[in-house]
Amino acid sequence: MSPRVRHILSMSGGKDSTALAVYMRDREPDMEYVFCDTKKELQETYDYLARVEAYLGKPVIRLNDERGFDHWLEVYGYYLPSPQMRWCTRQLKIRPFERFVGDDPVISYIGIRGDEQRDGYISSKPNITPRYPFKEDGITERDVYRILDECGLGMPAYYKWRTRSGCYFCFFQRKAEWLGLQDNHPQLFQDAKAYEKTDPETGRHFTWSQNESLDELANPERAEEIRRRHVKAVEAEQASRPDRPLIEVLADSQDQEDDEQGCLICHL
Ligand code: SF4
């Protein structure tokens, strides 16, 4: 007898994977919901997941690597992860997911939308087959907001100041979002700062944000400039499509200093 195919939906605490969980709840009753917990996520994410579990009537299984981020940071020679060297995703998201799956045949449900031009795949293991229900059914960003609104979950609370899920120190954060972290979680901002170092021998800087330390970014003059640029980026985005709700504008607006791609595993 061939082994039973498992259905697994990996959630990030972000809007798209949450909307997909809501969308699939009654379509796939055997769904296993998982969350790869780096233990460095925002409290808002944990709170949101608790509400999602209540809505789904099922646990969102927490997967993690017991050794944690700080262990891997040491293994990688204290090189902070970056868009070019994303060891955090591999060690803290993909590997725990693959361990959970084992060799079972699995369909992995991924929340990439019908209006996105990208592919995302959490693993390259041959027993894992990706499925993209939102792409198959043409579900757009607008639909995602509607799904979350109609089920009563709404958006994660961090959306007031940051539009991507993931670790509090994620290097994919926009400059303005770092300031949002400072405003909303001053201690976490200090904790993120503590990870930044300068190598005494080479003078090389290890910073989260490109080209500047968090101290520099939070300098009042620089912070003012970042906020100004952010407002301008939001206004430009609004002007390009005046019919869009503000929440969509905020999700898409970024100035030229921001990294636009984000992480397909952590930010869905
Ligand atoms: S959220 Fe960012 S820092 Fe955290 S694991 Fe993902 S890419 Fe790395």
Side-chain angles (χ1 to χ4, degrees), residues 2-143:
S2 50
R4 185 178 72 89
V5 175
R6 292 168 66 191
H7 299 265
I8 304 182
L9 197 160
S10 183
M11 306 183 62
S12 68
K15 70 178 189 331
D16 294 338
S17 59
T18 304
L20 183 61
V22 171
Y23 191 72
M24 294 306 298
R25 184 185 73 166
D26 301 326
R27 289 176 169 84
E28 182 44 71
D30 289 335
M31 190 74 83
E32 296 168 64
Y33 300 94
V34 302
F35 172 67
C36 296
D37 186 357
T38 64
K39 305 280 175 89
K40 301 289 182 182
E41 315 275 338
L42 295 162
Q43 186 56 46
E44 290 98 317
T45 300
Y46 297 119
D47 295 345
Y48 192 54
L49 285 172
R51 293 178 51 225
V52 172
E53 285 180 313
Y55 176 82
L56 296 174
K58 268 188 176 184
V60 175
I61 301 160
R62 307 305 202 261
L63 308 178
N64 55 53
D65 180 281
E66 288 302 330
R67 292 158 292 187
F69 180 88
D70 295 336
H71 162 81
W72 289 109
L73 181 62
E74 192 179 340
V75 168
Y76 284 91
Y78 295 97
Y79 274 78
L80 293 179
S82 66
Q84 295 74 36
M85 214 176 65
R86 217 182 304 170
W87 55 256
C88 48
T89 316
R90 168 143 296 281
Q91 301 299 350
L92 302 172
K93 297 274 180 180
I94 297 176
R95 291 241 164 103
F97 181 79
E98 289 181 344
R99 277 197 294 273
F100 178 70
V101 165
D103 295 324
D104 298 339
V106 158
I107 297 180
S108 167
Y109 293 78
I110 298 169
I112 294 183
R113 305 185 310 264
D115 56 350
E116 290 183 290
Q117 301 299 323
R118 55 180 188 166
D119 288 316
Y121 189 26
I122 196 165
S123 168
S124 55
K125 284 185 76 167
N127 53 317
I128 302 176
T129 307
R131 231 191 111 183
Y132 306 94
F134 282 171
K135 276 185 172 246
E136 291 164 17
D137 297 346
I139 299 292
T140 64
E141 188 174 22
R142 191 76 49 98
D143 296 321

Side-chain angles (χ1 to χ4, degrees), residues 38 86 88-89 93 165-167 169-172 263 266-267:
T38 64
R86 217 182 304 170
C88 48
T89 316
K93 297 274 180 180
S165 49
C167 306
F169 48 54
C170 185
F171 44 86
F172 280 120
C263 174
C266 306
H267 301 147

Side-chain angles (χ1 to χ4, degrees), residues 197-264:
K197 299 262 180 316
T198 301
D199 187 324
E201 282 171 25
T202 62
R204 184 187 163 143
H205 302 297
F206 296 92
T207 60
W208 290 113
S209 190
Q210 275 192 349
N211 306 324
E212 63 188 336
S213 68
L214 293 182
D215 257 338
E216 289 165 330
L217 186 148
N219 169 283
E221 269 178 37
R222 173 67 177 134
E224 182 53 37
E225 184 195 4
I226 290 169
R227 292 188 209 278
R228 219 176 23 246
R229 291 172 78 130
H230 178 64
V231 169
K232 271 180 89 174
V234 170
E235 285 171 353
E237 191 70 36
Q238 258 173 331
S240 71
R241 297 260 312 274
D243 57 314
R244 301 173 79 202
L246 182 62
I247 197 157
E248 286 182 30
V249 172
L250 285 174
D252 290 344
S253 61
Q254 49 209 345
D255 69 43
Q256 64 265 41
E257 286 189 313
D258 293 323
D259 193 308
E260 46 189 84
Q261 43 169 319
C263 174
L264 272 174

